[in-house]
Amino acid sequence: EIVLTQSPATLSLSPGERATLSCRASQSVSSYLAWYQQKPGQAPRLLIYDASNRATGIPARFSGSGSGTDFTLTISSLEPEDFAVYYCQQRSNWPPRVTFGPGTKVDIK
Amino acid sequence: QVQLVESGGGVVQPGGSLRLSCAASGFTFSSYGMHWVRQAPGKGLEWVAFIRYDGSNKYYADSVKGRFTISRDNSKNTLYLQMNSLRAEDTAVYYCAKDRQGDYDYWGQGTLVTVSS
């Protein structure tokens, strides 16, 4: 099973700052990596798919990069609504295997 | 706009059964695979099951195989999850999600299943 590791576990930043979140896979997942945002009491929302493609309606301040085993989600300038938990997910062995990372919480400094 | 609305959650005793439903609208339901994904309280996300657009193939996480059954009724635009032999570790919010080739582009709001005596 492919294991995803996310770092840091918590990122404390102020609005307007740049956020850089990391996701590392235990083996290559090519570009089959997605990022989701989840706010308290809400369902996850797809932000990025296939490592670098923004999903419908996602603001341009969100960008994804990477391939193989190392991936990054960047939020160029944090807005108040961006403070949330972010999960990465790989689908390289789909179907049926997918795995999620443990999440990175971005909170207000 | 795409809407997914889950229902059927509740409190059930260990060993009991529950059936979840997910009503879909805003897209051609019969053209897309669908998933169930769960999240235990305060924990991360876990994929549970997937069904192809026409119901021809179904896949399950090892943790639920043999106990849960995913199905769909394309005439009713509805996805189901029959959960039997429930355990305390099945306690979670269960989300239905629309497939985008193995990831999930739309999610419902979730329904809470609590397995407790």
Side-chain angles (χ1 to χ4, degrees):
Chain A
E1 178 183 307
I2 298 174
V3 177
L4 298 179
T5 304
Q6 291 187 242
S7 61
T10 303
L11 192 56
S12 297
L13 295 169
S14 301
E17 289 192 295
R18 183 183 188 90
T20 303
L21 288 66
S22 174
C23 178
R24 178 164 290 177
S26 59
Q27 63 190 78
S28 176
V29 299
S30 185
S31 294
Y32 298 127
L33 191 105
W35 291 93
Y36 301 85
Q37 176 194 66
Q38 188 178 33
K39 299 177 184 179
Q42 295 186 19
R45 176 175 71 147
L46 178 66
L47 299 176
I48 301 288
Y49 64 91
D50 293 346
S52 61
N53 297 286
R54 271 190 303 277
T56 303
I58 302 304
R61 63 181 182 274
F62 292 92
S63 63
S65 63
S67 65
T69 60
D70 290 297
F71 299 87
T72 301
L73 175 70
T74 302
I75 310 171
S76 59
S77 178
L78 282 163
E79 296 288 340
E81 61 268 27
D82 298 337
F83 292 92
V85 178
Y86 293 84
Y87 294 96
C88 58
Q89 176 241 331
Q90 67 82 22
R91 63 179 184 90
S92 68
N93 293 334
W94 174 259
R97 303 293 176 197
V98 299
T99 49
F100 288 93
T104 289
K105 182 178 182 181
V106 179
D107 66 14
I108 300 176
K109 188 173 181 181
Chain B
Q1 72 282 18
V2 173
Q3 278 203 310
L4 299 169
V5 179
E6 301 94 336
S7 60
V11 180
V12 61
Q13 291 188 339
S17 298
L18 213 54
R19 189 176 86 152
L20 307 182
S21 299
C22 170
S25 61
F27 67 103
T28 305
F29 180 72
S30 58
S31 296
Y32 291 91
M34 295 293 296
H35 300 260
W36 287 99
V37 179
R38 69 184 180 183
Q39 186 170 36
K43 302 297 184 182
L45 299 165
E46 179 189 19
W47 169 75
V48 173
F50 169 73
I51 185 168
R52 288 202 185 275
Y53 69 99
D54 58 357
S56 59
N57 292 91
K58 305 174 185 181
Y59 302 95
Y60 300 92
D62 290 342
S63 58
V64 307
K65 201 174 295 183
R67 301 187 298 122
F68 289 12
T69 302
I70 190 171
S71 62
R72 66 191 297 159
D73 186 336
N74 285 345
S75 69
K76 295 182 178 179
N77 288 349
T78 303
L79 175 73
Y80 303 100
L81 185 68
Q82 177 67 43
M83 304 186 295
N84 298 331
S85 303
L86 282 161
R87 306 166 179 167
E89 54 265 36
D90 296 318
T91 294
V93 174
Y94 284 74
Y95 298 100
C96 65
K98 177 177 167 288
D99 178 64
R100 200 213 67 83
Q101 301 173 37
D103 45 45
Y104 321 99
D105 55 359
Y106 293 94
W107 299 64
Q109 85 289 349
T111 187
L112 176 62
V113 172
T114 303
V115 183
S116 174
S117 54

